[in-house]
Amino acid sequence: MRDLALHLLYIAENSVAANAKNIALAVCEDLRGDRLTASVSDDGKGMSAEMAAKVVDPFVTSRTTRKVGLGIPLFKAAAEACNGSLTIESEIGQGTRLDVDFQHSHIDRMPLGDLACTLLTLFVAYPQIHWLFEYEAIPANGKPAEKFLFDTQPIMVELGDIPLTEPAVLAFISEYLESGVAQVRAAIHN
Amino acid sequence: MPAIKSLEDLKRIREEALEKRKVKTAEGSVQVTVAMGTCGIAAGARDTMKAILDHIEANNVSGVVVTQTGCIGKCDYEPIVEVSVGAAPKVIYGHINPERARKIMQEHVAGGKVLTDWVIPA
């Protein structure tokens, strides 16, 4: 997996598989503190503390197609290689929260990738889920932080029974996400 | 920097879509599913998905439902795309990069022709 956006995509897929109704993704590029943090939290079925501690082991998975799962162990290894960490908190019936952080300036830190594309594919594929996305950038030079919030609920309310794959709707959401992400990025990459 | 669109724009889009729907009769339902397990994503499934969405947007294709599924156990064929048109049996394609995805949208989804070369052998 080449970048953070792709990792977040499959972590969110895990939340979908856990029957979550609300899934929140947050990414923060904190140049002041030199950290890149991300989290995915859901209100899915959750897992026991014992299972949560074990999913970072490649030979533990809840899926039935195969007996190994590499997603989370590789993500954790990537974070730890960059002076970071990956933690999972979960409670049965309450949901799961995954937190990951990296040293932002670390030479091996994976690139951010295309966050807008990850969000778009998740929303279009699972419109029945309430998605909440937050992307924040904190510049190193003391300038104010920039934040982009994307909440799918008002969009679903507005659309009613018009499907997200209606071309004009798709164009709207895709532009909305791209311009929102670009605006935050501009605060730190220019 | 492009201005962020507002919900007002969405309102207008919704009205236009409703208008269009009045004119058009219901088409046979088409469902396109992209497999997005860890294996699919690592093999490029998100770009395949984006190509499908871009095609819908650029060519004004209506009535196609695009969704995702997890790992279906055929990881060596990823990215995998499933197409089901109306009552016809579901077709499962393997190794679908963005270029192939566009071809599937044109020939199978729009034209009804199954691209047998890319179908995963049963």
Side-chain angles (χ1 to χ4, degrees):
Chain A
M1 218 77 72
R2 294 177 299 272
D3 57 48
L4 184 69
L6 287 172
H7 276 282
L8 293 179
L9 179 55
Y10 84 71
I11 300 291
E13 291 281 345
N14 291 346
S15 296
V16 173
N19 302 323
K21 290 188 180 64
N22 299 280
I23 304 176
L25 288 89
V27 175
C28 178
E29 291 193 78
D30 178 2
L31 295 198
R32 206 172 298 164
D34 195 21
R35 302 309 290 174
L36 169 65
T37 59
S39 69
V40 177
S41 46
D42 69 57
D43 62 350
K45 63 186 173 191
M47 46 193 167
S48 64
E50 193 193 351
M51 185 68 186
K54 281 199 300 194
V55 285
V56 294
D57 177 340
F59 299 102
V60 173
T61 178
S62 63
R63 98 170 122 216
T64 49
T65 46
R66 245 181 293 112
K67 282 202 165 66
V68 291
L70 282 172
I72 293 170
L74 286 174
F75 198 20
K76 185 170 193 270
E80 285 172 353
C82 301
N83 296 327
S85 62
L86 181 148
T87 52
I88 297 171
E89 283 167 44
S90 190
E91 204 175 318
I92 288 175
Q94 298 298 311
T96 302
R97 179 187 168 100
L98 180 144
D99 278 283
V100 66
D101 81 303
F102 300 80
Q103 178 189 332
H104 195 285
S105 63
H106 199 287
I107 187 93
D108 290 328
R109 198 258 303 161
M110 61 177 73
L112 204 55
D114 192 342
L115 289 175
C117 188
T118 283
L119 263 288
L120 180 71
T121 53
L122 284 171
F123 184 24
V124 169
Y126 307 109
Q128 73 284 5
I129 290 173
H130 175 203
W131 297 94
L132 201 59
F133 172 62
E134 190 184 305
Y135 174 38
E136 189 180 17
I138 305 172
N141 53 14
K143 283 189 189 154
E146 187 80 43
K147 198 187 257 189
F148 169 59
L149 274 173
F150 179 70
D151 183 346
T152 60
Q153 196 161 37
I155 295 176
M156 293 309 285
V157 168
E158 191 55 56
L159 282 175
D161 59 347
I162 303 287
L164 291 174
T165 41
E166 189 62 41
V169 175
L170 206 49
F172 169 84
I173 297 165
S174 145
E175 272 174 48
Y176 186 90
L177 285 168
E178 275 163 23
S179 60
V181 168
Q183 197 158 328
V184 173
R185 278 197 84 94
I188 47 168
H189 300 274
N190 48 15
Chain B
M1 200 186 310
I4 293 184
K5 296 197 158 204
S6 69
L7 274 179
E8 286 305 311
D9 294 312
L10 194 59
K11 238 171 231 170
R12 181 180 47 75
I13 289 167
R14 177 187 141 80
E15 273 148 29
E16 281 169 12
L18 278 172
E19 209 49 43
K20 247 198 314 194
R21 183 178 277 188
K22 278 184 210 153
V23 183
K24 215 170 36 193
T25 52
E27 294 163 358
S29 78
V30 179
Q31 183 162 341
V32 178
T33 307
V34 183
M36 293 254 213
T38 310
C39 46
I41 296 168
R46 194 193 59 181
D47 296 336
T48 299
M49 175 91 168
K50 186 75 164 71
I52 292 167
L53 297 179
D54 286 346
H55 178 91
I56 289 174
E57 206 179 303
N59 297 282
N60 227 6
V61 184
S62 268
V64 177
V65 175
V66 182
T67 181
Q68 289 176 207
T69 183
C71 173
I72 62 168
K74 290 180 185 288
C75 310
D76 45 337
Y77 285 100
E78 295 286 357
I80 291 170
V81 172
E82 303 175 354
V83 178
S84 80
V85 180
K90 181 169 76 179
V91 178
I92 304 178
Y93 291 110
H95 301 305
I96 303 305
N97 57 24
E99 192 189 324
R100 285 182 169 190
R102 282 187 282 274
K103 193 122 195 265
I104 289 171
M105 291 302 289
Q106 281 159 10
E107 303 207 358
H108 188 170
V109 173
K113 181 175 153 245
V114 177
L115 298 156
T116 44
D117 286 357
W118 303 336
V119 174
I120 296 178

